[in-house]
Amino acid sequence: MSDHHGTHRDVHRAHRLGGLLSREPSVVATGVEVLASALADQAVPVEAVDWRPPPAGTEAALAAVLGAPGHAEANARAVRRMVTARPHLVDVRPARDVLGLEPGTFLHAGPPLEWGRASGPMRGALIGAMLLEGLAETPRGAERRLERGAAVFEPCHHHAAVGPMAGVVSPSMWMLVVEDAEHGGTSYCSLNEGLGKVLRYGAYGPEVIERLAWMGEVLGPALREAVRRHGPVDLMSLIAQALQMGDELHNRNRAATSLLLRELAPALAAAEEVPRARAAEALAFAAGNDHFFLNAGMAAAKACADAARGVPGSSLVVAMARNGTDFGIQVSGTGDRWFTGPAGVPDGLYLGAYGPDDANPDIGDSAITETAGMGGFALAAAPAIVRFVGGEVPDAVAATQRMYEITLAEHPVLQIPLLSFRGTPVGVDVARVVRTGILPVIDTGIAGREPGTGQVGAGLVEPPANVFTDALHALAETV
Amino acid sequence: MRDWVEVRRGGYHDSVTLMRVSRRLSERPGVAGAMVAMGTGLNREMFGRMGFAVPDEAGPDDLVVAIRVEDEGPGGAGLAEAGEALEGLLREASRPPAREGLLGAPAPARTTGSAAARGEATVALLSVPGPHVLPEAMDALDAGLNVMIFSDNVPVAQEIALKEAAARRGLIVMGPDCGTAVVGGAGLGFANAVRPGPVGVVAASGTGAQQLMCLLDAAGAGVSHVLGVGGRDLSPEVSGRSALAALAALDADPATELIVLVSKPPAPQVLDLIREAARRLDTPVVFALPLPGEDDLTRAAEKALRALGRPVPVWPRWTSPRGAAPVSGRALRGLFAGGTLRDEAEMIARDALGRELEARGHRFTDFGDDAYTRGRAHPMIDPTLRLEALRAEAADGGCGVLLLDVVLGHGAEPDPAAALAPAVAAALRDRSDLAVVVSLCGTPADPQDRDRQAVALCEAGADVFASNAQAARHALTLVDGPIAEGTPR
């Protein structure tokens, strides 16, 4: 201890210039090939970069953002908050109570939207929500009232919530309540309705409304009792296990659903407040729906992403969401501002006789899973869905590996066995997206264009490139 | 027992990684205790129990490094070694595993940052267009890599920002517009294959550094490292930020016994700053500057050799048997690829002939200047423009001597004599009154083989010199008679 200062200096002396003059030289070469090959000729280890120029006009903004002192630290801090969040499922409650939703107010997926620009499935879901809430007798009546501006709608993301596909939340729907045990945030997501003709895909027929009513009367209360009896459910732990069991937590949730059921079933069975018949109904419904966990996973991802919000100077993406018309992102260093562009039509496979002509542009808040390092970013972990969404296993591995180029970290908890347990790429960096031109890979369902159709397929989609350049320019103005 | 405690802001690693690092560090011989952990409350208690004093400001987001070594001899080698081991362990911990997974090698990295994450590089060599340099350079610095920026056209404000960022991280930015560096025996950019030796070079001039390293190699001395700093480093704006870092690094380098600083003409106030810093070093510093009253590169090399107690050789030269009979009073035309070699030749000419060089028709052109390289390769890679000029000058009856430089080494043309020797022969064929003098900067170990190049040029009729200063003086005797030979400056 006596010689503290001196020894400190000695250690640093030995490491001057990071050991440049004492270690074996090894070079990263970015740019003209002849310089890299001159090194290879000298038998010096070289890692050559496949560099390509970013879009013209972005040089100054990139230099401003990346040259700002503290930028790297801001990004490290933001992504560290994202990956250290500990989302727990703590309760299940009606939206009217937990979000304070008034009658005639609805939440929807994606960036802000008005009725006039709403796509078919978004309109269908809003019509269904009007019917569910008893604000209209018929679909035509609901549509006319919506056209006249009888309802208020706001993005789920503005209420710490996320909604799959159309993401419509009405006051009587029950919400999963997720708390971040590390950073203290709370996030919400509705209950999953299953597949086929469902509200989130824009269907609003009688069976859809009946199912939603049953979810409000039976499923929601049963889950509430189960969760309260069980105590907080560690969702990150379930997600990590499910990832190693072949889920990527966006288009495949089969393992996660099973794990969640295994976790809650004893508590549900023991809940005296829930009649046995209702407990059995609830268990059967959840067990019959491979996507039952999706909404819990989305709320967990939302909690992780929200933990990373509001770090000045950080270029980390904290939301990617679509409303069926626009694709929008939010960035840690630019507050609640949305950067939007036209939503693309997914590339994928179609159910039955449906084809690309039936597809609506991309829709849903579920890209929050990709935002937090799951979904398309974890494709290599889910060989079972690879053929469904993008070809052969090597394509899935390549997709995940490509995402490491645009992310700030590797997830310390979410590990991919096929990649020697390497963490999933997590934390999309706006600057890296602009620099490389590599866009995030998003797994998605495909909704029918016409209101009332429901799901027509599933596949992959990319955001419009302009949302990242726009966000970069906005961030450059803040530094 | 000696302790080393350091707090690293934002140096996050997960706890399992850090426990493994701590364990492997503790297992090293001579290490009595080690803990590397984030500064959480629980960990701070553990540090306290181990008897380490952790500064109050260390919080849960900060990495705390604490190492205790057993008593040892002077110099703190035990701690230094443990520190080095720590860096290695942390680097290893943050690196993705297995380069090649089950499904083959991943695609090439797309940014300097992701390439840096894949390996254990010590330096990034950037040659992307100037406006795109900053993101790549910041990537490298953030990954703990030094940077050599070969590119030019980097805004000066960005150069300063990068050099300040490097200083904060204890790293160096060589460049922008840095053509030459040699670190640990690896030539970066344009560099000659020289033997290892005691001389460290700090260079704000690429060809100046090459001339020095080749002369030192010819003298059997060789270099430890050559750290380029970029042509603008000694400007008033940049104020020698990298030159000062390079001097300090070479001063601390055990292999470097003497430092030579070579530069294009620096800003006077910056030169004062550098001289002042050089005086404070333990290692002697010799200056080679193309300024009146300063040592040219050859004399600086000679001075360095004498200071090291080594003999000064007769510098290699190859004299053509052609025996041209140049006519006194005709003009000397210097066609250079190296800016510093051009400047040096002009300075020698002015010293010998006084100020009225232009009036006598003497001209010294640098084809490596931006005016000639915009939109095309450097003349050390593409000789076309200079060969055209050679033909044009030979056709000018007023021209008596052509002075050319040829710079060899990694990154340069694979066989410059292949194009130049026939052009020289053609120029001399019909002009018995014309002479060609070549300053040949290279070593026998260069990929182009200096001696083979020299013989080819000599056979074409040129007088060839390894010393640029000697080549310039020889050329002057051919246009202005023996008055210039050995003229004291």
Side-chain angles (χ1 to χ4, degrees):
Chain A
M1 201 68 74
S2 58
D3 197 16
H4 181 264
H5 184 68
T7 53
H8 191 94
R9 199 171 51 206
D10 290 340
V11 170
H12 276 268
R13 198 174 155 107
H15 293 293
R16 206 180 272 277
L17 307 188
L20 178 68
L21 307 185
S22 54
R23 286 166 57 195
E24 281 294 307
S26 173
V27 183
V28 169
T30 313
V32 298
E33 207 182 313
V34 59
L35 296 180
S37 57
L39 284 158
D41 291 346
Q42 300 172 68
V44 174
V46 186
E47 184 83 51
V49 176
D50 180 17
W51 183 87
R52 299 153 204 206
T58 57
E59 300 89 344
L62 278 171
V65 168
L66 291 160
H71 171 72
E73 288 77 7
N75 272 351
R77 190 168 114 78
V79 77
R80 187 163 64 239
R81 289 182 63 87
M82 184 179 274
V83 301
T84 55
R86 287 164 55 215
H88 286 75
L89 175 62
V90 296
D91 207 350
V92 185
R93 295 175 64 195
R96 81 172 74 80
D97 299 344
V98 78
L99 296 173
L101 277 194
E102 303 284 341
T105 302
F106 304 106
L107 305 186
H108 67 81
L113 184 71
E114 59 287 351
W115 176 261
R117 296 176 63 242
S119 64
M122 182 63 81
R123 290 184 176 199
L126 287 165
I127 290 167
M130 291 285 282
L131 295 172
L132 177 68
E133 298 297 326
L135 297 171
E137 298 290 320
T138 62
R140 280 300 304 274
E143 195 169 353
R144 273 199 298 269
R145 299 202 55 183
L146 287 162
E147 276 168 12
R148 287 202 306 269
V152 174
F153 31 95
E154 292 175 354
C156 293
H157 269 290
H158 292 189
H159 296 268
V162 276
M165 303 309 286
V168 168
V169 175
S170 68
S172 68
M173 290 182 187
W174 285 60
M175 307 295 284
L176 302 164
V177 181
V178 171
E179 279 179 12
D180 173 1
E182 179 71 19
H183 308 292
T186 307
S187 60
Y188 311 93
C189 189
S190 53
L191 303 178
N192 193 282
E193 312 162 74
L195 286 173
K197 290 220 179 283
V198 287
L199 187 83
R200 69 177 188 282
Y201 279 96
Y204 52 76
E207 76 272 33
V208 174
I209 305 305
E210 270 168 40
R211 188 187 306 110
L212 286 169
W214 173 83
M215 287 169 70
E217 283 162 27
V218 177
L219 182 64
L223 284 173
R224 175 183 61 196
E225 298 311 322
V227 170
R228 288 182 177 180
R229 181 169 283 269
H230 176 282
V233 180
D234 184 343
L235 293 176
M236 217 54 199
S237 164
L238 290 189
I239 288 169
Q241 294 172 56
L243 202 73
Q244 299 203 9
M245 294 164 75
D247 283 358
E248 42 65 273
L249 281 310
H250 188 168
N251 271 8
R252 184 179 151 102
N253 288 281
R254 185 172 211 163
T257 297
S258 307
L259 290 171
L260 181 65
L261 276 177
R262 194 174 75 163
E263 196 76 26
L264 290 179
L268 184 54
E272 294 127 12
E273 307 85 343
V274 185
R276 290 177 66 86
R278 292 196 156 194
E281 272 180 53
L283 283 171
F285 177 79
N289 172 10
D290 277 347
H291 284 288
F292 187 73
F293 185 83
L294 171 64
N295 299 35
M298 284 174 58
K302 171 68 175 163
C304 297
D306 275 2
R309 280 181 180 261
V311 178
S314 170
S315 49
L316 175 73
V317 174
V318 294
M320 296 193 283
R322 317 83 97 196
N323 58 29
T325 304
D326 312 311
F327 192 115
I329 64 167
Q330 293 178 312
V331 174
S332 181
T334 52
D336 292 334
R337 187 164 162 193
W338 287 96
F339 303 95
T340 61
V345 173
D347 177 17
L349 294 178
Y350 289 85
L351 302 167
Y354 290 120
D357 291 345
D358 302 308
N360 194 73
D362 195 24
I363 187 166
D365 285 336
S366 56
I368 196 69
T369 56
E370 277 82 7
T371 311
M374 309 169 211
F377 287 46
L379 262 187
I385 63 157
V386 162
R387 282 167 184 264
F388 182 46
V389 296
E392 303 297 324
V393 173
D395 299 325
V397 173
T400 291
Q401 278 175 333
R402 200 160 66 242
M403 294 302 101
Y404 289 112
E405 294 288 340
I406 59 169
T407 48
L408 292 167
E410 299 183 9
H411 206 294
V413 178
L414 308 182
Q415 296 172 337
I416 304 176
L418 195 60
L419 300 181
S420 306
F421 294 92
R422 190 174 180 186
T424 64
V426 61
V428 175
D429 176 12
V430 160
R432 288 189 202 204
V433 171
V434 172
R435 284 169 65 189
T436 60
I438 296 173
L439 294 168
V441 173
I442 295 168
D443 294 342
T444 191
I446 307 174
R449 293 163 59 92
E450 292 303 319
T453 308
Q455 183 174 15
V456 297
L460 296 175
V461 72
E462 286 182 341
N466 77 285
V467 301
F468 297 96
T469 45
D470 290 353
L472 177 77
H473 281 108
L475 186 63
E477 284 166 21
T478 71
V479 297
Chain B
M1 297 286 172
R2 308 214 303 172
D3 281 9
W4 170 40
V5 177
E6 186 190 347
V7 179
R8 299 184 182 186
R9 295 232 167 259
Y12 177 79
H13 292 277
D14 71 83
S15 57
V16 176
T17 298
L18 293 177
M19 283 162 72
R20 285 173 58 181
V21 167
S22 301
R23 195 188 70 206
R24 289 182 59 185
L25 211 53
S26 326
E27 287 166 357
R28 288 180 60 83
V31 174
M35 178 163 165
V36 183
M38 305 305 290
T40 59
L42 191 66
N43 285 336
R44 292 183 60 101
E45 268 177 44
M46 289 294 295
F47 281 115
R49 243 177 275 164
M50 291 175 74
F52 288 113
V54 177
D56 289 340
E57 76 269 16
D61 288 347
D62 302 318
L63 181 68
V64 181
V65 172
I67 302 176
R68 176 172 302 136
V69 294
E70 286 157 10
D71 273 331
E72 52 185 338
L79 265 188
E81 275 169 23
E84 199 151 350
L86 167 74
E87 302 302 330
L89 289 169
L90 286 178
R91 267 196 307 276
E92 214 174 290
S94 60
R95 188 155 15 105
R99 290 279 305 278
E100 294 204 14
L102 289 174
L103 296 156
R110 293 286 296 276
T111 62
T112 304
S114 62
R118 292 180 185 205
E120 231 189 289
T122 53
V123 59
L125 170 54
L126 307 182
S127 52
V128 300
H132 300 301
V133 159
L134 186 127
E136 306 304 321
M138 275 298 177
D139 268 10
L141 294 173
D142 288 340
L145 269 57
N146 298 280
V147 187
M148 169 164 161
I149 304 173
F150 187 86
S151 330
D152 52 12
N153 292 312
V154 176
V156 71
Q158 292 184 11
E159 175 173 351
I160 293 168
L162 286 170
K163 289 183 172 178
E164 284 179 349
R168 284 196 294 274
R169 293 161 174 81
L171 301 169
I172 190 170
V173 171
M174 298 181 271
D177 201 9
C178 174
T180 298
V182 178
V183 287
L188 305 171
F190 297 126
N192 302 91
V194 294
R195 67 188 87 211
V199 182
V201 179
V202 177
S205 150
T207 43
Q210 287 189 273
Q211 168 81 131
L212 260 172
M213 60 203 269
C214 290
L215 290 177
L216 290 166
D217 183 78
V223 298
S224 55
H225 308 279
V226 178
L227 301 179
V229 295
R232 215 164 42 189
D233 191 67
L234 300 186
S235 67
E237 295 86 354
V238 186
S239 198
R241 283 177 161 90
S242 289
L244 293 170
L247 284 172
L250 289 172
D251 191 39
D253 172 40
T256 301
E257 295 170 32
L258 178 138
I259 300 168
V260 181
L261 185 138
V262 53
S263 171
K264 291 168 186 164
Q269 68 270 40
V270 180
L271 183 56
D272 290 345
L273 192 74
I274 302 285
R275 283 195 200 277
E276 184 53 40
R279 263 194 289 278
R280 287 196 298 268
L281 301 183
D282 297 331
T283 315
V285 181
V286 169
F287 287 81
L289 306 166
L291 294 174
E294 292 285 340
D295 290 318
D296 60 47
L297 294 160
T298 304
R299 286 192 177 145
E302 290 167 355
K303 192 187 257 187
L305 290 167
R306 280 189 213 98
L308 291 166
R310 291 172 181 248
V312 174
V314 173
W315 301 115
R317 57 189 288 176
W318 298 260
T319 312
S320 167
R322 179 170 169 268
V327 181
S328 184
R330 294 219 172 131
L332 165 60
R333 300 280 157 79
L335 308 177
F336 284 85
T340 299
L341 299 182
R342 189 217 81 97
D343 292 349
E344 181 178 75
E346 189 186 16
M347 178 186 82
I348 287 165
R350 281 197 201 286
D351 276 0
L353 304 177
R355 300 216 150 265
E356 65 272 35
L357 288 180
E358 291 80 5
R360 300 197 203 184
H362 303 322
R363 272 203 303 270
F364 297 84
T365 310
D366 169 19
F367 284 88
D369 191 85
D370 288 352
Y372 298 95
T373 56
R374 198 151 291 147
R376 64 189 306 151
H378 193 275
M380 277 157 70
I381 297 173
D382 175 7
T384 315
L385 216 53
R386 199 159 71 131
L387 289 175
E388 279 169 23
L390 178 98
R391 273 190 288 277
E393 293 290 2
D396 175 359
C399 170
V401 177
L402 284 165
L403 176 59
L404 307 160
D405 63 345
V406 175
V407 183
L408 309 179
H410 296 292
E413 247 190 291
D415 186 6
L420 192 55
V424 167
L428 294 175
R429 193 171 303 130
D430 308 320
R431 290 277 312 269
S432 60
D433 58 336
L434 183 69
V436 175
V437 179
V438 171
S439 154
L440 177 61
C441 179
T443 73
D446 278 333
Q448 301 88 347
D449 184 351
R450 180 197 67 187
D451 295 354
R452 193 173 65 77
Q453 299 291 322
V455 167
L457 292 165
C458 197
E459 281 174 354
D463 292 331
V464 181
F465 293 80
S467 154
N468 184 60
Q470 286 187 353
R473 292 202 175 86
H474 178 71
L476 287 168
T477 64
L478 297 177
V479 287
D480 268 301
I483 54 137
E485 185 82 270
T487 301
R489 294 178 311 109

